[in-house]
Amino acid sequence: DASRLRFQREMEIMKKFLRYRLVPAGLQKRIATFFDHQWDVLKGEDEQKFLLELPQSLQQQVTNFMCRDIIASLSILRKANTSLLNALVECTEMNTYSPNDEIVKVGEKIRGAILISRGEAELMKGAMVERKLRRLDRFAEECLFVDKVSLHSVRSKGFSEVLILPSVLFQRVINFQCDEDHIAQMKETSLALAKNGAKANKLFGLSDDLAYIDSFEKHFLPSSKFRKIWDILVLIGLVLYVFYLPISFMHLIENSPFTKTPVLLSLQYVLDAFFIADAVFNFHYFVYFEEGLLVRDKSYIHQKFISSRNCWREIIGMLPLDLLSCFFGGRYLHHFRLVKVVRIPNIVNSFQNIDSMLSELNIDIDLSLYRVIKLNIVMITACHWVGCIWFMMASLSMASGYDGNWRVADENNEFLSVKHSDFAGFAGYLRSVYWALVGMSTVGYGDIIPTNIIETTYATFVILLGGLFLPAIVGGLAAYMGNFNIAGKTFQKKLARVRSYLLRINIGDDVLEKVLRYYNFHWSRQGGIIENEAMDKLPTTLRFSVASHINGSMIESTPFFSRCDQSTKQIIVTALQSRVFTPLDIIAKEGDNGFEMFFLQRGRVTISTSQMSLPVITSSSKGDFFGECYLLDSETSCETVTACVYCEFYVLSQDDFKEIVESADERLSVQNSVQHYVNQKKSRYQKMARNLTLRPKCERLLKQKMGEKPRLSSMNLILPDSKLLLLWDTVLLSS
């Protein structure tokens, strides 16, 4: 539950970020599906964080274990030594793809060899699947030696992990460790494999799961309404078993056959028939998803049933042992019904199926509240079982030769008016459950007490059991109350630490106020979300999809990036980093050398130059950019850009730009376009300065417009941590 709660908090942060950036609902659902898959695989553990905590030597050993066999599966490396394989493992890139993500697109330049580590992918030509790629399968092995544009698309069929061995790094390693003859032999082998690739693809044919699914089989798909309704019915049936089977204990010693309660008996037989049908469906018909892949093969369905359920337990639960009561007498029907208790452990899997269904329907459940509800359900169930067995203890006492029992004492109590036979015997059951609740909660009113050693022994174990349950329920309730507004409490603690640190170093009041304003802005706009951390948690394809939604149109509209190919634009979009500037911050200063280009996402800035006495341009449009001259090696800024309000930017560093635009010709083309744009901007500023000089009236109007400056000191009255707001909250609380 603790891991699940931590995972849910991370998902809430991710959902806040996606809503803040107005990400489409379809993309949000893909991201939620990916994280659900990560939970199924890792149960909330951070694999990358785990590796970083290990020493460097162990990190390398774990990485080599995970990737070396996959790298060694390349035909050209099957006789490679360990040192070469280890060097190539460090060059590989591991990417996770969601169902239907394109690993390689038609017409895209292939960066290197593509190897499947986990899951399944499809090699497609148009709409036709030519080949299935599973673990240790590879694609484009020849691209390690020659440049090639893909004529096929490679699509992830389910959730798949793919290793990419870049050709640039591969060439660097083999040139250092291999001689020329060995390199030539590897190149010849890879090219020969490429020639035979088309023939091999045709031999594999279409995948089985693309076959037509008839209307009958569609009902057994995991996403079908029938499966969802069936899972709910299974849970209801198991819950009924949980509450009906203890009733068998109540009359286990008495000579009271089930024929006295025909309704209860009929309902239990209906449940028996239902669970026999459930076992048949799960064993033969119910297909399932594994790592995003639909498994329809009957043998795999049988193996899944055998591995996920205890077959002997299922067989025993289906046996009609009730028929033996025809030979031994109806009073023994209670004994034979008790074998159905073997089905109760299946309730854990049933709850997991319901959780998955709620997640698929995007129904969020507060796990703290969910835990409290589960604990109370367990408590109620325990009271029911304990009460039914306590009722049986009276019959066991009489059968053991004791003169009295708690039921007789309860009915003969002169201070009470109780008859256990009232309400068709329900009064006796109610008194039993009442005793169980009082005993397990350690209240102990004393109106119902054990009267012999058998009842005393049982009561002792019940009180010990209750002493374990009660703290668990109280602790769960306390955890639930403590998790109210957990994000706000975390932010307030962080703000208190920041304030304490700044006061400890005796920082000036102006800087302190500015820092606190920044945190309050960050909380009010994004709820304390650190956007770059949220993006880093996404796999490559989803990160690109989110980044494209946020900044794709902005990069497309930038004039000098139009010369880049589509793949370069995609990498630029994902390389942008979010940054916030506070009011009156200087984003770019005229004459300075910088290292980052800025794209305005939200806010307002003023632009000025030394040729003009005051700012003449105010920019507030999404996609406006500044500092493009910093992409050049020796160009200084021709303008001073100042934030008027809190501004959100995306920045592209000069180093990232040079790394992304690998081709020297492409980089030179972009830089020439940037230089031309900068020259045009300088010319435009010179004309504006000349117009202001020749037309004094324009300068006077501009001064009137720009003369009002923001009075930041007056805003402290409305900050969330201001004294006025604290006083106002105190007045409201006292009233």
Side-chain angles (χ1 to χ4, degrees):
D1 283 347
S3 298
R4 183 70 179 179
L5 183 60
R6 185 172 61 252
F7 175 76
Q8 186 190 47
R9 290 175 183 169
E10 293 178 356
M11 285 301 301
E12 288 175 355
I13 293 174
M14 180 63 67
K15 289 177 180 179
K16 284 183 180 179
F17 162 66
L18 298 176
R19 287 195 296 266
Y20 177 71
R21 290 303 181 189
L22 303 178
V23 174
L27 182 54
Q28 290 189 36
K29 186 175 181 180
R30 284 179 58 198
I31 293 173
T33 304
F34 166 76
F35 280 105
D36 287 340
H37 168 72
Q38 288 295 95
W39 169 258
D40 293 337
V41 175
L42 300 175
K43 299 301 179 186
E45 296 298 329
D46 190 340
E47 187 176 14
Q48 192 65 28
K49 182 179 179 181
F50 165 73
L51 290 175
L52 291 176
E53 291 175 351
L54 297 176
Q56 188 66 32
S57 58
L58 290 179
Q59 285 186 32
Q60 185 174 2
Q61 292 179 31
V62 173
T63 305
N64 290 344
F65 173 78
M66 295 170 60
C67 303
R68 188 166 55 192
D69 291 342
I70 301 173
I71 296 296
S73 67
L74 289 170
S75 302
I76 59 177
L77 297 175
R78 286 178 180 169
K79 296 183 180 180
N81 55 46
T82 304
S83 61
L84 177 58
L85 292 176
N86 290 339
L88 292 175
V89 164
E90 296 183 1
C91 300
T92 57
E93 301 174 6
M94 174 72 80
N95 294 323
T96 303
Y97 294 89
S98 301
N100 299 321
D101 282 349
E102 284 191 300
I103 303 171
V104 178
K105 297 180 180 179
V106 177
E108 178 183 350
K109 181 181 177 181
I110 305 176
R111 297 171 52 215
I114 297 171
L115 304 100
I116 307 299
S117 172
R118 178 185 293 176
E120 186 175 304
E122 294 174 330
L123 183 65
M124 305 185 67
K125 192 165 186 179
M128 177 184 248
V129 178
E130 286 196 354
R131 182 183 174 191
K132 277 181 161 186
L133 301 174
R134 295 189 176 92
R135 177 173 168 80
L136 301 182
D137 288 339
R138 61 265 180 204
F139 172 70
E141 190 173 347
E142 70 278 7
C143 292
L144 295 172
F145 296 95
V146 295
D147 293 335
K148 182 179 177 182
V149 174
S150 178
L151 301 177
H152 296 76
S153 63
V154 181
R155 183 182 66 183
S156 176
K157 189 177 178 186
F159 288 100
S160 57
E161 293 181 2
V162 177
L163 284 177
I164 299 177
L165 180 58
S167 58
V168 176
L169 300 179
F170 174 79
Q171 290 290 335
R172 190 179 302 168
V173 171
I174 64 172
N175 287 333
F176 180 76
Q177 295 202 16
C178 303
D179 55 38
E180 294 183 359
D181 293 338
H182 190 190
I183 295 174
Q185 184 180 2
M186 287 192 293
K187 182 177 181 180
E188 183 180 354
T189 302
S190 66
L191 295 178
L193 290 172
K195 292 180 180 179
N196 297 326
K199 297 179 181 179
N201 292 341
K202 293 179 181 179
L203 293 176
F204 283 93
L206 289 175
S207 55
D208 295 334
D209 61 327
L210 293 179
Y212 175 72
I213 301 177
D214 59 34
S215 57
F216 179 72
E217 289 180 324
K218 287 181 180 179
H219 296 301
F220 300 131
L221 294 175
S223 58
S224 66
K225 291 183 179 180
F226 175 77
R227 283 287 294 271
K228 291 181 173 64
I229 295 174
W230 189 265
D231 289 339
I232 295 173
L233 292 177
V234 168
L235 179 60
I236 294 174
L238 290 172
V239 170
L240 291 176
Y241 264 135
V242 168
F243 282 92
Y244 282 155
L245 287 177
I247 298 176
S248 299
F249 286 101
M250 295 178 62
H251 306 288
L252 197 63
I253 308 300
E254 300 175 0
N255 187 11
S256 175
F258 257 134
T259 53
K260 293 184 178 181
T261 54
V263 176
L264 186 63
L265 179 63
S266 301
L267 181 59
Q268 292 203 35
Y269 281 140
V270 170
L271 286 178
D272 292 345
F274 172 78
F275 280 104
I276 291 174
D278 176 66
V280 173
F281 283 153
N282 278 280
F283 182 76
H284 194 71
Y285 293 106
F286 281 172
V287 297
Y288 63 94
F289 281 113
E290 184 174 351
E291 295 185 347
L293 300 177
L294 182 64
V295 179
R296 298 176 57 208
D297 188 273
K298 299 299 182 183
S299 60
Y300 285 106
I301 296 175
H302 298 166
Q303 293 177 11
K304 173 73 172 179
F305 178 84
I306 294 171
S307 62
S308 61
R309 298 196 182 190
N310 189 315
C311 290
W312 287 109
R313 192 170 62 197
E314 291 290 334
I315 293 173
I316 292 173
M318 287 189 293
L319 290 177
L321 298 180
D322 308 44
L323 299 178
L324 296 177
S325 61
C326 298
F327 303 97
F328 294 96
R331 61 169 296 183
Y332 293 103
L333 188 61
H334 299 286
H335 300 76
F336 296 127
R337 290 296 305 172
L338 290 180
V339 298
K340 306 301 179 182
V341 77
V342 298
R343 286 204 176 106
I344 292 179
N346 292 337
I347 198 170
V348 177
N349 293 330
S350 184
F351 270 113
Q352 292 177 353
N353 293 336
I354 297 299
D355 290 344
S356 301
M357 183 177 67
L358 294 176
S359 176
E360 183 181 343
L361 297 174
N362 293 324
I363 300 176
D364 295 328
I365 302 175
D366 190 313
L367 283 181
S368 298
L369 177 60
Y370 191 36
R371 181 166 55 181
V372 173
I373 293 174
K374 286 196 296 184
L375 286 171
N376 280 278
I377 291 175
V378 171
M379 184 68 180
I380 293 171
T381 304
C383 288
H384 173 65
W385 279 75
V386 170
C388 290
I389 298 176
W390 176 244
F391 188 93
M392 185 195 71
M393 287 294 112
S395 302
L396 183 60
S397 298
M398 288 189 294
S400 300
Y402 289 100
D403 294 333
N405 57 71
W406 75 267
R407 278 191 288 172
V408 174
D410 190 41
E411 289 184 332
N412 295 334
N413 192 332
E414 60 183 5
F415 297 103
L416 301 174
S417 178
V418 176
K419 289 185 178 181
H420 289 196
S421 59
D422 289 346
F423 304 107
F426 183 74
Y429 164 77
L430 189 60
R431 292 292 287 172
S432 301
V433 174
Y434 161 77
W435 174 88
L437 186 59
V438 170
M440 294 182 68
S441 62
T442 67
V443 174
Y445 286 122
D447 53 341
I448 301 177
I449 58 174
T451 60
N452 53 64
I453 191 62
I454 295 177
E455 295 173 355
T456 302
T457 303
Y458 178 70
T460 302
F461 284 106
V462 168
I463 294 172
L464 290 174
L465 180 66
L468 298 176
F469 268 110
L470 187 62
I473 294 175
V474 174
L477 183 60
Y480 171 64
M481 299 298 293
N483 285 323
F484 275 134
N485 194 24
I486 187 67
K489 293 177 181 177
T490 304
F491 170 75
Q492 292 297 335
K493 290 179 181 179
K494 183 177 182 180
L495 196 61
R497 290 196 302 268
V498 171
R499 186 199 299 271
S500 176
Y501 168 74
L502 295 178
L503 292 175
R504 191 166 58 250
I505 63 176
N506 296 322
I507 201 165
D509 293 339
D510 293 341
V511 179
L512 174 62
E513 183 180 356
K514 193 173 183 179
V515 171
L516 295 179
R517 289 180 187 283
Y518 163 74
Y519 277 103
N520 283 312
F521 166 80
H522 186 61
W523 171 257
S524 64
R525 295 303 297 268
Q526 297 185 348
I529 300 169
I530 301 176
E531 184 168 326
N532 294 333
E533 291 184 0
M535 290 290 287
D536 289 341
K537 293 179 181 179
L538 297 174
T540 303
T541 52
L542 293 178
R543 189 187 309 131
F544 165 70
S545 299
V546 174
S548 297
H549 169 75
I550 299 173
N551 298 318
S553 59
M554 184 172 63
I555 295 299
E556 290 287 349
S557 62
T558 305
F560 36 82
F561 285 142
S562 60
R563 299 174 180 271
C564 300
D565 58 31
Q566 195 62 31
S567 60
T568 302
K569 293 177 184 177
Q570 294 175 0
I571 302 175
I572 290 175
V573 165
T574 56
L576 296 177
Q577 297 291 313
S578 175
R579 189 171 301 173
V580 175
F581 289 89
T582 61
L584 303 182
D585 280 351
I586 296 178
I587 301 164
K589 189 174 182 179
E590 184 179 5
D592 284 357
N593 286 314
F595 304 97
E596 293 173 328
M597 179 182 177
F598 303 89
F599 295 89
L600 180 63
Q601 180 71 18
R602 184 179 282 109
R604 188 173 71 255
V605 299
T606 59
I607 303 173
S608 61
T609 68
S610 59
Q611 301 171 354
M612 296 176 283
S613 58
L614 54 123
V616 296
I617 300 177
T618 301
S619 178
S620 60
S621 300
K622 177 181 176 181
D624 290 345
F625 53 87
F626 320 98
E628 67 280 353
C629 56
Y630 296 150
L631 298 181
L632 306 176
D633 294 328
S634 59
E635 185 71 28
T636 59
S637 177
C638 63
E639 59 192 356
T640 298
V641 183
T642 306
C644 297
V645 295
Y646 284 98
C647 298
E648 298 178 33
F649 284 89
Y650 282 95
V651 299
L652 176 65
S653 68
Q654 187 184 82
D655 292 338
D656 286 342
F657 168 73
K658 291 180 178 179
E659 184 179 350
I660 293 170
V661 187
E662 298 176 351
S663 171
D665 294 337
E666 187 178 20
R667 188 188 309 149
L668 181 61
S669 175
V670 173
Q671 289 179 337
N672 288 337
S673 180
V674 171
Q675 186 66 64
H676 178 69
Y677 187 85
V678 170
N679 292 336
Q680 287 183 334
K681 182 181 287 188
K682 289 179 179 179
S683 176
R684 185 166 62 252
Y685 288 160
Q686 290 174 358
K687 292 179 181 179
M688 293 172 65
R690 187 166 57 252
N691 288 336
L692 291 175
T693 303
L694 297 176
R695 296 174 175 82
K697 184 177 180 180
C698 293
E699 186 173 359
R700 288 196 301 271
L701 293 174
L702 190 60
K703 286 182 179 179
Q704 293 177 4
K705 181 179 179 182
M706 305 297 294
E708 297 184 1
K709 296 184 178 180
R711 292 174 292 179
L712 298 177
S713 59
S714 63
M715 296 173 59
N716 60 355
L717 296 178
I718 60 173
L719 287 175
D721 60 340
S722 67
K723 295 180 180 179
L724 176 62
L725 188 57
L726 178 61
L727 178 61
W728 183 255
D729 290 339
T730 305
V731 172
L732 291 178
L733 181 62
S734 61
S735 62

